[in-house]
Amino acid sequence: MAVLLDGKVLSEKRMEELKARVDTLRARGKTVGLAVILVGENPASQVYVRNKGKACEGLGIRGDTILLPEQTSQEELEALIEKLNQDECVDGILVQLPLPKHLDEAKALALISPDKDVDGFHVENAGRLFTGQPGVTACTPKGILAMLKAWNVPLAGKEAVVIGRSNIVGKPVAMLLLNENCTVTICHSRTADLAAHTRRADILVAAVGKPRFITAGMVKPGAAVVDVGINRVDGKVVGDVDFESVEKVAGYISPVPGGVGKMTICMLMENVIEAAERKAN
Ligand code: GUN
Protein backbone atom coordinates (compact mmCIF):
# COMPACT_ATOMS: atom_id res chain seq x y z
CA MET A 1 0.00 0.00 0.00
CA ALA A 2 1.27 3.44 -0.93
CA VAL A 3 2.18 6.17 1.55
CA LEU A 4 -0.45 8.91 1.40
CA LEU A 5 0.82 12.33 0.30
CA ASP A 6 -1.69 14.00 2.58
CA GLY A 7 -2.09 17.57 1.40
CA LYS A 8 -4.60 18.35 4.12
CA VAL A 9 -2.24 17.49 6.98
CA LEU A 10 0.77 19.17 5.35
CA SER A 11 -1.13 22.33 4.40
CA GLU A 12 -2.59 22.68 7.90
CA LYS A 13 0.91 22.58 9.36
CA ARG A 14 2.22 25.06 6.81
CA MET A 15 -0.76 27.37 7.34
CA GLU A 16 0.13 27.64 11.02
CA GLU A 17 3.62 28.77 10.09
CA LEU A 18 2.18 31.23 7.60
CA LYS A 19 -0.20 32.64 10.19
CA ALA A 20 2.77 33.42 12.42
CA ARG A 21 4.36 35.36 9.55
CA VAL A 22 1.17 37.38 9.03
CA ASP A 23 1.11 38.11 12.78
CA THR A 24 4.73 39.26 12.67
CA LEU A 25 3.91 41.65 9.83
CA ARG A 26 0.88 42.94 11.70
CA ALA A 27 3.01 43.59 14.80
CA ARG A 28 5.11 45.83 12.54
CA GLY A 29 1.98 47.67 11.41
CA LYS A 30 1.82 45.92 8.02
CA THR A 31 -1.33 44.23 6.78
CA VAL A 32 -1.42 41.65 4.00
CA GLY A 33 -3.91 41.91 1.13
CA LEU A 34 -4.88 39.71 -1.83
CA ALA A 35 -7.21 40.81 -4.64
CA VAL A 36 -8.86 38.00 -6.59
CA ILE A 37 -10.58 38.82 -9.88
CA LEU A 38 -13.20 36.45 -11.24
CA VAL A 39 -14.81 37.25 -14.59
CA GLY A 40 -18.04 35.42 -15.36
CA GLU A 41 -19.70 32.50 -13.64
CA ASN A 42 -17.61 29.37 -14.28
CA PRO A 43 -18.85 27.12 -11.43
CA ALA A 44 -15.46 25.48 -10.78
CA SER A 45 -13.77 28.90 -10.66
CA GLN A 46 -16.41 30.11 -8.21
CA VAL A 47 -15.50 27.24 -5.86
CA TYR A 48 -11.75 27.90 -6.18
CA VAL A 49 -12.18 31.62 -5.59
CA ARG A 50 -14.35 31.02 -2.54
CA ASN A 51 -11.71 28.67 -1.10
CA LYS A 52 -8.99 31.27 -1.66
CA GLY A 53 -11.12 33.81 0.22
CA LYS A 54 -11.63 31.41 3.12
CA ALA A 55 -7.89 30.74 3.35
CA CYS A 56 -7.21 34.48 3.56
CA GLU A 57 -9.75 34.80 6.33
CA GLY A 58 -8.14 31.99 8.29
CA LEU A 59 -4.74 33.71 8.19
CA GLY A 60 -5.87 37.26 8.85
CA ILE A 61 -5.12 38.33 5.29
CA ARG A 62 -7.42 40.86 3.70
CA GLY A 63 -9.00 39.05 0.76
CA ASP A 64 -10.98 41.10 -1.75
CA THR A 65 -12.87 39.08 -4.32
CA ILE A 66 -13.89 41.20 -7.29
CA LEU A 67 -16.65 39.60 -9.33
CA LEU A 68 -17.01 40.98 -12.84
CA PRO A 69 -19.80 40.12 -15.26
CA GLU A 70 -19.22 37.69 -18.15
CA GLN A 71 -19.43 40.52 -20.73
CA THR A 72 -16.62 42.59 -19.11
CA SER A 73 -14.41 44.14 -21.79
CA GLN A 74 -10.64 43.81 -22.07
CA GLU A 75 -10.34 47.54 -21.32
CA GLU A 76 -12.39 47.24 -18.13
CA LEU A 77 -10.35 44.27 -16.93
CA GLU A 78 -7.07 46.04 -17.69
CA ALA A 79 -8.21 49.22 -15.94
CA LEU A 80 -8.99 47.19 -12.82
CA ILE A 81 -5.58 45.46 -12.89
CA GLU A 82 -3.85 48.83 -13.25
CA LYS A 83 -5.82 50.23 -10.34
CA LEU A 84 -4.84 47.24 -8.16
CA ASN A 85 -1.19 47.58 -9.23
CA GLN A 86 -1.26 51.08 -7.70
CA ASP A 87 -3.21 50.09 -4.56
CA GLU A 88 -0.91 50.11 -1.50
CA CYS A 89 -3.24 47.73 0.37
CA VAL A 90 -2.92 45.05 -2.29
CA ASP A 91 0.14 42.78 -2.10
CA GLY A 92 -1.10 40.14 -4.50
CA ILE A 93 -3.32 40.17 -7.59
CA LEU A 94 -4.81 36.97 -8.95
CA VAL A 95 -6.87 36.74 -12.13
CA GLN A 96 -8.75 33.47 -11.93
CA LEU A 97 -8.38 31.41 -15.12
CA PRO A 98 -9.85 30.54 -17.50
CA LEU A 99 -11.17 33.93 -18.59
CA PRO A 100 -14.18 34.12 -20.89
CA LYS A 101 -13.17 33.47 -24.52
CA HIS A 102 -13.45 37.09 -25.71
CA LEU A 103 -10.75 38.23 -23.28
CA ASP A 104 -6.99 38.10 -23.96
CA GLU A 105 -5.53 36.11 -21.07
CA ALA A 106 -1.85 36.67 -21.88
CA LYS A 107 -2.35 40.41 -22.25
CA ALA A 108 -4.19 40.64 -18.92
CA LEU A 109 -1.55 38.60 -17.06
CA ALA A 110 1.27 40.66 -18.58
CA LEU A 111 -0.25 43.77 -17.02
CA ILE A 112 -0.02 42.51 -13.44
CA SER A 113 2.98 43.98 -11.68
CA PRO A 114 5.49 41.06 -11.42
CA ASP A 115 5.87 41.88 -7.69
CA LYS A 116 2.14 41.35 -7.15
CA ASP A 117 1.89 38.35 -9.48
CA VAL A 118 1.22 35.77 -6.76
CA ASP A 119 0.28 33.11 -9.35
CA GLY A 120 3.72 33.35 -10.97
CA PHE A 121 2.06 33.52 -14.41
CA HIS A 122 3.68 36.76 -15.59
CA VAL A 123 6.30 36.11 -18.28
CA GLU A 124 8.90 37.69 -16.02
CA ASN A 125 8.26 35.16 -13.25
CA ALA A 126 7.87 32.27 -15.70
CA GLY A 127 11.16 33.36 -17.29
CA ARG A 128 12.84 33.54 -13.90
CA LEU A 129 11.83 29.94 -13.19
CA PHE A 130 13.06 28.94 -16.64
CA THR A 131 16.46 30.62 -16.16
CA GLY A 132 16.96 29.60 -12.52
CA GLN A 133 16.59 33.08 -11.03
CA PRO A 134 14.58 33.81 -7.90
CA GLY A 135 10.98 34.83 -8.60
CA VAL A 136 7.40 33.92 -7.84
CA THR A 137 6.61 30.27 -8.61
CA ALA A 138 3.17 29.07 -9.70
CA CYS A 139 1.20 27.69 -6.76
CA THR A 140 0.26 24.19 -7.89
CA PRO A 141 3.78 23.26 -9.07
CA LYS A 142 5.24 24.73 -5.88
CA GLY A 143 2.74 22.73 -3.81
CA ILE A 144 3.63 19.52 -5.64
CA LEU A 145 7.34 20.01 -4.89
CA ALA A 146 6.56 20.85 -1.26
CA MET A 147 4.69 17.54 -0.94
CA LEU A 148 7.42 15.45 -2.55
CA LYS A 149 10.02 17.07 -0.30
CA ALA A 150 7.94 16.79 2.87
CA TRP A 151 7.79 13.02 2.36
CA ASN A 152 11.46 12.83 1.32
CA VAL A 153 10.70 11.38 -2.09
CA PRO A 154 14.09 11.02 -3.82
CA LEU A 155 14.29 13.33 -6.83
CA ALA A 156 17.89 13.71 -8.06
CA GLY A 157 18.63 11.35 -10.93
CA LYS A 158 15.07 9.99 -10.97
CA GLU A 159 12.75 9.75 -13.95
CA ALA A 160 9.92 12.26 -13.68
CA VAL A 161 7.03 12.12 -16.13
CA VAL A 162 4.57 15.00 -16.27
CA ILE A 163 1.34 14.53 -18.20
CA GLY A 164 0.07 17.91 -19.31
CA ARG A 165 1.83 20.93 -20.81
CA SER A 166 -0.17 23.88 -19.50
CA ASN A 167 1.45 27.11 -18.34
CA ILE A 168 -0.34 26.67 -15.00
CA VAL A 169 0.90 23.18 -14.09
CA GLY A 170 2.68 21.04 -16.68
CA LYS A 171 5.45 23.32 -17.85
CA PRO A 172 6.34 24.91 -14.50
CA VAL A 173 6.26 21.63 -12.54
CA ALA A 174 8.53 20.07 -15.18
CA MET A 175 10.95 22.96 -14.70
CA LEU A 176 10.90 22.60 -10.90
CA LEU A 177 11.59 18.86 -11.19
CA LEU A 178 14.41 19.58 -13.63
CA ASN A 179 15.87 22.04 -11.11
CA GLU A 180 15.80 19.16 -8.60
CA ASN A 181 17.91 17.14 -11.04
CA CYS A 182 15.16 14.79 -12.20
CA THR A 183 15.25 13.54 -15.77
CA VAL A 184 11.99 15.02 -16.99
CA THR A 185 9.60 13.97 -19.74
CA ILE A 186 6.54 16.06 -20.59
CA CYS A 187 3.71 14.06 -22.15
CA HIS A 188 0.55 15.52 -23.68
CA SER A 189 -2.48 14.76 -25.82
CA ARG A 190 -0.36 13.98 -28.88
CA THR A 191 2.13 11.72 -27.10
CA ALA A 192 2.47 8.32 -28.78
CA ASP A 193 2.26 5.36 -26.36
CA LEU A 194 1.70 7.32 -23.16
CA ALA A 195 1.80 4.20 -20.98
CA ALA A 196 5.34 3.39 -22.18
CA HIS A 197 6.41 6.73 -20.69
CA THR A 198 4.38 6.56 -17.48
CA ARG A 199 5.65 3.05 -16.69
CA ARG A 200 9.21 4.41 -16.55
CA ALA A 201 8.31 7.18 -14.11
CA ASP A 202 9.68 7.25 -10.57
CA ILE A 203 7.66 10.43 -10.16
CA LEU A 204 4.42 10.69 -12.12
CA VAL A 205 2.50 13.96 -12.18
CA ALA A 206 -0.96 13.64 -13.73
CA ALA A 207 -2.52 16.88 -14.95
CA VAL A 208 -4.67 15.41 -17.68
CA GLY A 209 -8.20 16.48 -16.88
CA LYS A 210 -9.69 13.01 -17.40
CA PRO A 211 -11.28 11.23 -14.43
CA ARG A 212 -9.41 8.11 -13.19
CA PHE A 213 -7.33 8.09 -16.38
CA ILE A 214 -4.14 6.70 -14.80
CA THR A 215 -4.63 3.05 -13.90
CA ALA A 216 -2.37 0.59 -12.05
CA GLY A 217 -0.98 -0.89 -15.27
CA MET A 218 0.46 2.51 -16.22
CA VAL A 219 2.41 2.93 -12.97
CA LYS A 220 5.89 1.68 -12.05
CA PRO A 221 5.85 -0.20 -8.71
CA GLY A 222 7.00 2.15 -5.93
CA ALA A 223 6.50 5.34 -7.94
CA ALA A 224 5.36 8.62 -6.40
CA VAL A 225 2.05 9.48 -8.09
CA VAL A 226 0.83 13.06 -7.81
CA ASP A 227 -2.76 13.65 -8.91
CA VAL A 228 -3.50 17.20 -10.08
CA GLY A 229 -6.94 16.38 -11.51
CA ILE A 230 -10.18 17.84 -10.21
CA ASN A 231 -13.02 16.19 -12.12
CA ARG A 232 -16.67 16.06 -11.18
CA VAL A 233 -18.28 12.66 -11.76
CA ASP A 234 -21.87 12.08 -10.58
CA GLY A 235 -21.54 14.95 -8.14
CA LYS A 236 -18.32 13.54 -6.67
CA VAL A 237 -14.84 15.07 -7.08
CA VAL A 238 -12.30 12.57 -8.45
CA GLY A 239 -8.75 12.97 -9.71
CA ASP A 240 -6.97 11.93 -12.89
CA VAL A 241 -5.67 8.84 -11.08
CA ASP A 242 -7.68 5.70 -10.37
CA PHE A 243 -6.77 5.85 -6.70
CA GLU A 244 -8.17 2.44 -5.75
CA SER A 245 -6.04 0.45 -8.17
CA VAL A 246 -2.96 2.73 -8.21
CA GLU A 247 -2.50 2.88 -4.42
CA LYS A 248 -1.76 -0.86 -4.49
CA VAL A 249 1.19 -0.36 -6.87
CA ALA A 250 2.57 3.10 -6.07
CA GLY A 251 5.03 3.93 -3.30
CA TYR A 252 3.39 7.31 -2.66
CA ILE A 253 0.08 8.71 -3.85
CA SER A 254 -1.76 12.00 -3.38
CA PRO A 255 -5.52 11.79 -2.92
CA VAL A 256 -8.25 13.93 -4.50
CA PRO A 257 -9.67 15.75 -2.66
CA GLY A 258 -7.17 16.42 0.15
CA GLY A 259 -4.02 16.37 -1.97
CA VAL A 260 -2.57 18.90 -4.39
CA GLY A 261 -5.57 21.27 -4.20
CA LYS A 262 -4.96 21.99 -0.53
CA MET A 263 -1.30 22.65 -1.23
CA THR A 264 -2.11 25.04 -4.10
CA ILE A 265 -4.06 27.31 -1.77
CA CYS A 266 -1.37 27.09 0.88
CA MET A 267 1.32 28.10 -1.64
CA LEU A 268 -0.84 30.96 -2.86
CA MET A 269 -1.01 32.24 0.71
CA GLU A 270 2.77 31.85 0.97
CA ASN A 271 3.29 33.82 -2.24
CA VAL A 272 1.03 36.62 -0.97
CA ILE A 273 2.86 36.77 2.36
CA GLU A 274 6.25 36.75 0.61
CA ALA A 275 5.09 39.67 -1.55
CA ALA A 276 4.06 41.58 1.60
CA GLU A 277 7.38 40.76 3.30
CA ARG A 278 9.35 41.96 0.24
CA LYS A 279 7.41 45.21 0.30
CA ALA A 280 7.90 45.63 4.08
CA ASN A 281 11.65 45.04 3.98
N1 GUN B 1 -7.22 28.18 -12.71
C1 GUN B 1 -6.85 26.91 -12.37
N2 GUN B 1 -5.79 26.95 -11.53
C2 GUN B 1 -5.50 28.25 -11.33
C3 GUN B 1 -4.51 28.93 -10.56
O1 GUN B 1 -3.67 28.33 -9.88
N3 GUN B 1 -4.55 30.27 -10.60
C4 GUN B 1 -5.45 30.96 -11.37
N4 GUN B 1 -5.40 32.28 -11.36
N5 GUN B 1 -6.37 30.37 -12.09
C5 GUN B 1 -6.40 29.02 -12.07
Side-chain angles (χ1 to χ4, degrees):
M1 271 327 216
V3 172
L4 194 69
L5 300 172
D6 190 330
K8 185 167 184 288
V9 166
L10 180 59
S11 68
E12 280 168 4
K13 178 169 155 265
R14 291 291 178 89
M15 288 291 232
E16 272 177 41
E17 294 161 14
L18 292 175
K19 184 150 195 331
R21 285 164 69 178
V22 175
D23 292 343
T24 302
L25 281 163
R26 194 180 302 103
R28 294 168 59 195
K30 319 275 184 194
T31 56
V32 184
L34 170 66
V36 176
I37 303 171
L38 174 58
V39 186
E41 292 177 3
N42 179 315
S45 290
Q46 287 173 329
V47 174
Y48 302 150
V49 164
R50 203 176 314 131
N51 288 339
K52 290 168 188 179
K54 275 190 217 159
C56 286
E57 217 173 288
L59 294 184
I61 292 176
R62 179 176 150 186
D64 296 330
T65 303
I66 302 151
L67 303 173
L68 298 177
E70 180 82 25
Q71 63 274 17
T72 298
S73 70
Q74 184 75 25
E75 292 70 31
E76 287 167 320
L77 176 60
E78 291 184 4
L80 173 62
I81 293 170
E82 276 172 344
K83 188 178 79 142
L84 294 169
N85 278 339
Q86 302 302 324
D87 189 335
E88 286 286 323
C89 299
V90 173
D91 298 290
I93 302 170
L94 182 150
V95 176
Q96 186 64 33
L97 302 180
L99 287 170
K101 291 244 178 327
H102 67 279
L103 294 172
D104 186 335
E105 214 160 83
K107 203 157 161 260
L109 296 177
L111 213 61
I112 298 173
S113 161
D115 286 332
K116 297 193 179 189
D117 168 38
V118 286
D119 259 329
F121 293 166
H122 191 285
V123 286
E124 176 166 329
N125 284 315
R128 283 175 171 274
L129 174 61
F130 210 90
T131 53
Q133 298 174 69
V136 184
T137 304
C139 307
T140 301
K142 195 174 172 181
I144 292 169
L145 261 287
M147 273 179 139
L148 293 171
K149 289 194 165 180
W151 273 273
N152 296 312
V153 175
L155 299 175
K158 298 297 178 185
E159 294 281 341
V161 173
V162 176
I163 316 174
R165 53 175 153 176
S166 72
N167 292 334
I168 297 180
V169 181
K171 281 188 264 182
V173 80
M175 199 51 60
L176 287 175
L177 290 163
L178 180 62
N179 289 346
E180 295 295 332
N181 301 306
C182 290
T183 301
V184 183
T185 305
I186 305 179
C187 300
H188 46 77
S189 53
R190 306 284 290 272
T191 295
D193 200 356
L194 178 69
H197 291 284
T198 61
R199 278 193 217 108
R200 285 191 296 102
D202 300 304
I203 297 115
L204 180 61
V205 178
V208 193
K210 292 185 188 167
R212 303 186 183 109
F213 178 72
I214 303 296
T215 51
M218 299 169 76
V219 174
K220 179 177 176 178
V225 179
V226 179
D227 190 348
V228 187
I230 301 179
N231 310 287
R232 280 170 187 81
V233 177
D234 306 327
K236 204 178 144 210
V237 174
V238 303
D240 291 346
V241 175
D242 180 34
F243 189 91
E244 239 182 73
S245 72
V246 172
E247 74 164 336
K248 298 188 177 88
V249 179
Y252 306 84
I253 187 169
S254 74
V256 175
V260 172
K262 288 271 187 291
M263 294 306 298
T264 294
I265 297 214
C266 183
M267 294 300 123
L268 171 65
M269 296 299 111
E270 181 171 277
N271 283 350
V272 177
I273 294 162
E274 277 173 11
E277 287 170 345
R278 274 197 307 273
K279 191 175 78 183
N281 293 334

Short mmCIF file of all heavy atoms in Angstrom, two decimals, residues 216-256:
data_model
loop_
_atom_site.label_atom_id
_atom_site.label_comp_id
_atom_site.label_asym_id
_atom_site.label_seq_id
_atom_site.Cartn_x
_atom_site.Cartn_y
_atom_site.Cartn_z
N ALA A 216 -3.52 1.28 -12.65
CA ALA A 216 -2.37 0.59 -12.05
C ALA A 216 -1.37 0.12 -13.10
O ALA A 216 -0.15 0.20 -12.90
CB ALA A 216 -2.86 -0.57 -11.20
N GLY A 217 -1.85 -0.35 -14.23
CA GLY A 217 -0.98 -0.89 -15.27
C GLY A 217 -0.07 0.15 -15.90
O GLY A 217 0.89 -0.19 -16.60
N MET A 218 -0.35 1.43 -15.65
CA MET A 218 0.46 2.51 -16.22
C MET A 218 1.52 3.01 -15.24
O MET A 218 2.27 3.93 -15.55
CB MET A 218 -0.44 3.70 -16.60
CG MET A 218 -1.48 3.34 -17.65
SD MET A 218 -2.70 4.65 -17.85
CE MET A 218 -1.78 5.85 -18.80
N VAL A 219 1.56 2.39 -14.04
CA VAL A 219 2.41 2.93 -12.97
C VAL A 219 3.52 1.95 -12.61
O VAL A 219 3.29 0.75 -12.44
CB VAL A 219 1.55 3.25 -11.72
CG1 VAL A 219 2.40 3.68 -10.54
CG2 VAL A 219 0.52 4.33 -12.06
N LYS A 220 4.74 2.48 -12.48
CA LYS A 220 5.89 1.68 -12.05
C LYS A 220 5.74 1.37 -10.55
O LYS A 220 5.45 2.27 -9.76
CB LYS A 220 7.16 2.51 -12.28
CG LYS A 220 8.46 1.84 -11.86
CD LYS A 220 9.63 2.75 -12.23
CE LYS A 220 10.95 2.17 -11.74
NZ LYS A 220 12.09 3.05 -12.13
N PRO A 221 5.96 0.12 -10.14
CA PRO A 221 5.85 -0.20 -8.71
C PRO A 221 6.78 0.70 -7.87
O PRO A 221 7.94 0.90 -8.23
CB PRO A 221 6.29 -1.67 -8.64
CG PRO A 221 5.95 -2.22 -10.00
CD PRO A 221 6.20 -1.08 -10.96
N GLY A 222 6.21 1.28 -6.83
CA GLY A 222 7.00 2.15 -5.93
C GLY A 222 7.03 3.61 -6.32
O GLY A 222 7.57 4.44 -5.58
N ALA A 223 6.45 3.94 -7.46
CA ALA A 223 6.50 5.34 -7.94
C ALA A 223 5.74 6.28 -7.03
O ALA A 223 4.83 5.87 -6.30
CB ALA A 223 5.91 5.43 -9.35
N ALA A 224 6.13 7.56 -7.08
CA ALA A 224 5.36 8.62 -6.40
C ALA A 224 4.37 9.20 -7.42
O ALA A 224 4.79 9.72 -8.45
CB ALA A 224 6.28 9.71 -5.88
N VAL A 225 3.09 9.05 -7.14
CA VAL A 225 2.05 9.48 -8.09
C VAL A 225 1.34 10.70 -7.53
O VAL A 225 0.75 10.64 -6.44
CB VAL A 225 1.05 8.33 -8.36
CG1 VAL A 225 -0.02 8.78 -9.34
CG2 VAL A 225 1.78 7.10 -8.90
N VAL A 226 1.43 11.80 -8.26
CA VAL A 226 0.83 13.06 -7.81
C VAL A 226 -0.34 13.39 -8.74
O VAL A 226 -0.17 13.53 -9.95
CB VAL A 226 1.87 14.20 -7.83
CG1 VAL A 226 1.23 15.51 -7.38
CG2 VAL A 226 3.06 13.85 -6.95
N ASP A 227 -1.51 13.49 -8.15
CA ASP A 227 -2.76 13.65 -8.91
C ASP A 227 -3.20 15.11 -8.86
O ASP A 227 -3.59 15.61 -7.81
CB ASP A 227 -3.82 12.74 -8.29
CG ASP A 227 -5.07 12.64 -9.15
OD1 ASP A 227 -5.22 13.43 -10.09
OD2 ASP A 227 -5.90 11.75 -8.86
N VAL A 228 -3.14 15.77 -10.01
CA VAL A 228 -3.50 17.20 -10.08
C VAL A 228 -4.95 17.38 -10.55
O VAL A 228 -5.48 18.47 -10.57
CB VAL A 228 -2.52 17.95 -11.01
CG1 VAL A 228 -2.75 19.46 -10.97
CG2 VAL A 228 -1.07 17.67 -10.63
N GLY A 229 -5.60 16.29 -10.92
CA GLY A 229 -6.94 16.38 -11.51
C GLY A 229 -8.01 16.77 -10.51
O GLY A 229 -7.95 16.40 -9.34
N ILE A 230 -8.96 17.58 -10.98
CA ILE A 230 -10.18 17.84 -10.21
C ILE A 230 -11.32 17.66 -11.21
O ILE A 230 -11.60 18.54 -12.02
CB ILE A 230 -10.21 19.28 -9.62
CG1 ILE A 230 -9.01 19.52 -8.70
CG2 ILE A 230 -11.51 19.51 -8.86
CD1 ILE A 230 -8.95 20.91 -8.09
N ASN A 231 -11.93 16.49 -11.18
CA ASN A 231 -13.02 16.19 -12.12
C ASN A 231 -14.28 15.89 -11.34
O ASN A 231 -14.23 15.26 -10.29
CB ASN A 231 -12.65 14.96 -12.96
CG ASN A 231 -11.27 15.06 -13.58
OD1 ASN A 231 -11.05 15.80 -14.51
ND2 ASN A 231 -10.31 14.30 -13.04
N ARG A 232 -15.39 16.36 -11.84
CA ARG A 232 -16.67 16.06 -11.18
C ARG A 232 -17.37 14.93 -11.91
O ARG A 232 -17.64 15.03 -13.10
CB ARG A 232 -17.54 17.30 -11.11
CG ARG A 232 -17.10 18.19 -9.96
CD ARG A 232 -17.72 19.56 -9.93
NE ARG A 232 -17.08 20.35 -8.87
CZ ARG A 232 -15.91 20.97 -9.01
NH1 ARG A 232 -15.26 20.90 -10.15
NH2 ARG A 232 -15.39 21.64 -8.01
N VAL A 233 -17.60 13.82 -11.18
CA VAL A 233 -18.28 12.66 -11.76
C VAL A 233 -19.45 12.29 -10.85
O VAL A 233 -19.23 11.99 -9.66
CB VAL A 233 -17.31 11.45 -11.87
CG1 VAL A 233 -18.04 10.23 -12.41
CG2 VAL A 233 -16.13 11.79 -12.77
N ASP A 234 -20.65 12.36 -11.37
CA ASP A 234 -21.87 12.08 -10.58
C ASP A 234 -21.87 12.86 -9.26
O ASP A 234 -22.15 12.29 -8.20
CB ASP A 234 -22.00 10.57 -10.29
CG ASP A 234 -21.96 9.75 -11.57
OD1 ASP A 234 -22.43 10.25 -12.61
OD2 ASP A 234 -21.44 8.62 -11.54
N GLY A 235 -21.51 14.10 -9.33
CA GLY A 235 -21.54 14.95 -8.14
C GLY A 235 -20.38 14.73 -7.17
O GLY A 235 -20.31 15.37 -6.12
N LYS A 236 -19.46 13.82 -7.54
CA LYS A 236 -18.32 13.54 -6.67
C LYS A 236 -17.04 14.07 -7.34
O LYS A 236 -16.91 14.00 -8.56
CB LYS A 236 -18.22 12.00 -6.52
CG LYS A 236 -17.52 11.55 -5.26
CD LYS A 236 -17.50 10.01 -5.15
CE LYS A 236 -16.20 9.58 -4.52
NZ LYS A 236 -15.72 8.28 -4.93
N VAL A 237 -16.12 14.58 -6.53
CA VAL A 237 -14.84 15.07 -7.08
C VAL A 237 -13.85 13.91 -7.13
O VAL A 237 -13.58 13.28 -6.11
CB VAL A 237 -14.28 16.23 -6.24
CG1 VAL A 237 -12.89 16.63 -6.72
CG2 VAL A 237 -15.22 17.43 -6.29
N VAL A 238 -13.33 13.61 -8.31
CA VAL A 238 -12.30 12.57 -8.45
C VAL A 238 -11.11 13.13 -9.23
O VAL A 238 -11.24 14.09 -9.98
CB VAL A 238 -12.85 11.30 -9.16
CG1 VAL A 238 -14.04 10.73 -8.42
CG2 VAL A 238 -13.20 11.58 -10.61
N GLY A 239 -9.97 12.51 -9.04
CA GLY A 239 -8.75 12.97 -9.71
C GLY A 239 -8.56 12.33 -11.08
O GLY A 239 -9.46 11.68 -11.62
N ASP A 240 -7.35 12.53 -11.61
CA ASP A 240 -6.97 11.93 -12.89
C ASP A 240 -6.42 10.52 -12.68
O ASP A 240 -6.12 9.82 -13.64
CB ASP A 240 -5.87 12.77 -13.56
CG ASP A 240 -6.39 14.12 -14.04
OD1 ASP A 240 -7.62 14.29 -14.10
OD2 ASP A 240 -5.56 14.99 -14.35
N VAL A 241 -6.26 10.13 -11.41
CA VAL A 241 -5.67 8.84 -11.08
C VAL A 241 -6.75 7.93 -10.50
O VAL A 241 -7.54 8.35 -9.65
CB VAL A 241 -4.52 9.01 -10.06
CG1 VAL A 241 -3.97 7.66 -9.62
CG2 VAL A 241 -3.41 9.88 -10.66
N ASP A 242 -6.77 6.69 -10.94
CA ASP A 242 -7.68 5.70 -10.37
C ASP A 242 -7.09 5.24 -9.04
O ASP A 242 -6.35 4.26 -8.97
CB ASP A 242 -7.84 4.53 -11.35
CG ASP A 242 -8.78 3.47 -10.79
OD1 ASP A 242 -9.74 3.85 -10.07
OD2 ASP A 242 -8.55 2.28 -11.05
N PHE A 243 -7.42 6.01 -8.00
CA PHE A 243 -6.77 5.85 -6.70
C PHE A 243 -6.81 4.40 -6.20
O PHE A 243 -5.81 3.86 -5.74
CB PHE A 243 -7.44 6.79 -5.68
CG PHE A 243 -6.75 6.87 -4.36
CD1 PHE A 243 -5.77 7.82 -4.12
CD2 PHE A 243 -7.05 5.97 -3.35
CE1 PHE A 243 -5.10 7.88 -2.91
CE2 PHE A 243 -6.39 6.02 -2.12
CZ PHE A 243 -5.42 6.98 -1.90
N GLU A 244 -7.98 3.79 -6.32
CA GLU A 244 -8.17 2.44 -5.75
C GLU A 244 -7.18 1.42 -6.30
O GLU A 244 -6.61 0.63 -5.54
CB GLU A 244 -9.60 1.98 -6.06
CG GLU A 244 -10.41 1.67 -4.82
CD GLU A 244 -11.78 1.18 -5.20
OE1 GLU A 244 -11.90 0.04 -5.69
OE2 GLU A 244 -12.73 1.98 -5.04
N SER A 245 -6.97 1.43 -7.61
CA SER A 245 -6.04 0.45 -8.17
C SER A 245 -4.58 0.93 -8.01
O SER A 245 -3.70 0.14 -7.69
CB SER A 245 -6.36 0.17 -9.64
OG SER A 245 -6.02 1.25 -10.48
N VAL A 246 -4.34 2.23 -8.19
CA VAL A 246 -2.96 2.73 -8.21
C VAL A 246 -2.32 2.69 -6.82
O VAL A 246 -1.12 2.44 -6.69
CB VAL A 246 -2.90 4.15 -8.84
CG1 VAL A 246 -1.50 4.75 -8.69
CG2 VAL A 246 -3.28 4.09 -10.30
N GLU A 247 -3.11 2.86 -5.78
CA GLU A 247 -2.50 2.88 -4.42
C GLU A 247 -1.89 1.52 -4.07
O GLU A 247 -1.04 1.43 -3.19
CB GLU A 247 -3.51 3.32 -3.35
CG GLU A 247 -4.54 2.28 -3.01
CD GLU A 247 -5.28 2.59 -1.69
OE1 GLU A 247 -4.72 3.31 -0.84
OE2 GLU A 247 -6.39 2.09 -1.55
N LYS A 248 -2.31 0.47 -4.76
CA LYS A 248 -1.76 -0.86 -4.49
C LYS A 248 -0.39 -1.06 -5.14
O LYS A 248 0.36 -1.95 -4.76
CB LYS A 248 -2.73 -1.93 -4.99
CG LYS A 248 -4.09 -1.89 -4.30
CD LYS A 248 -4.97 -3.08 -4.69
CE LYS A 248 -6.29 -3.05 -3.94
NZ LYS A 248 -7.31 -2.26 -4.66
N VAL A 249 -0.06 -0.21 -6.12
CA VAL A 249 1.19 -0.36 -6.87
C VAL A 249 2.21 0.72 -6.49
O VAL A 249 3.40 0.46 -6.38
CB VAL A 249 0.90 -0.25 -8.40
CG1 VAL A 249 2.17 -0.38 -9.20
CG2 VAL A 249 -0.12 -1.28 -8.82
N ALA A 250 1.70 1.95 -6.29
CA ALA A 250 2.57 3.10 -6.07
C ALA A 250 3.26 3.03 -4.71
O ALA A 250 2.82 2.31 -3.81
CB ALA A 250 1.75 4.39 -6.17
N GLY A 251 4.37 3.79 -4.60
CA GLY A 251 5.03 3.93 -3.30
C GLY A 251 4.43 5.08 -2.51
O GLY A 251 4.39 5.06 -1.27
N TYR A 252 4.01 6.10 -3.24
CA TYR A 252 3.39 7.31 -2.66
C TYR A 252 2.25 7.71 -3.59
O TYR A 252 2.38 7.60 -4.80
CB TYR A 252 4.37 8.48 -2.61
CG TYR A 252 5.67 8.21 -1.91
CD1 TYR A 252 6.73 7.60 -2.58
CD2 TYR A 252 5.87 8.59 -0.58
CE1 TYR A 252 7.94 7.35 -1.95
CE2 TYR A 252 7.08 8.36 0.06
CZ TYR A 252 8.10 7.74 -0.64
OH TYR A 252 9.31 7.51 -0.02
N ILE A 253 1.18 8.24 -3.01
CA ILE A 253 0.08 8.71 -3.85
C ILE A 253 -0.63 9.87 -3.16
O ILE A 253 -0.83 9.85 -1.94
CB ILE A 253 -0.90 7.55 -4.19
CG1 ILE A 253 -1.96 7.99 -5.20
CG2 ILE A 253 -1.54 6.98 -2.93
CD1 ILE A 253 -2.77 6.83 -5.78
N SER A 254 -0.99 10.88 -3.95
CA SER A 254 -1.76 12.00 -3.38
C SER A 254 -3.23 11.80 -3.69
O SER A 254 -3.59 11.45 -4.81
CB SER A 254 -1.25 13.34 -3.95
OG SER A 254 -1.68 13.51 -5.28
N PRO A 255 -4.09 12.00 -2.70
CA PRO A 255 -5.52 11.79 -2.92
C PRO A 255 -6.20 13.03 -3.53
O PRO A 255 -5.63 14.11 -3.53
CB PRO A 255 -6.04 11.57 -1.49
CG PRO A 255 -5.14 12.42 -0.64
CD PRO A 255 -3.80 12.40 -1.31
N VAL A 256 -7.38 12.82 -4.05
CA VAL A 256 -8.25 13.93 -4.50
C VAL A 256 -9.65 13.64 -3.97
O VAL A 256 -10.18 12.56 -4.25
CB VAL A 256 -8.30 14.02 -6.04
CG1 VAL A 256 -9.30 15.10 -6.47
CG2 VAL A 256 -6.93 14.32 -6.61
#
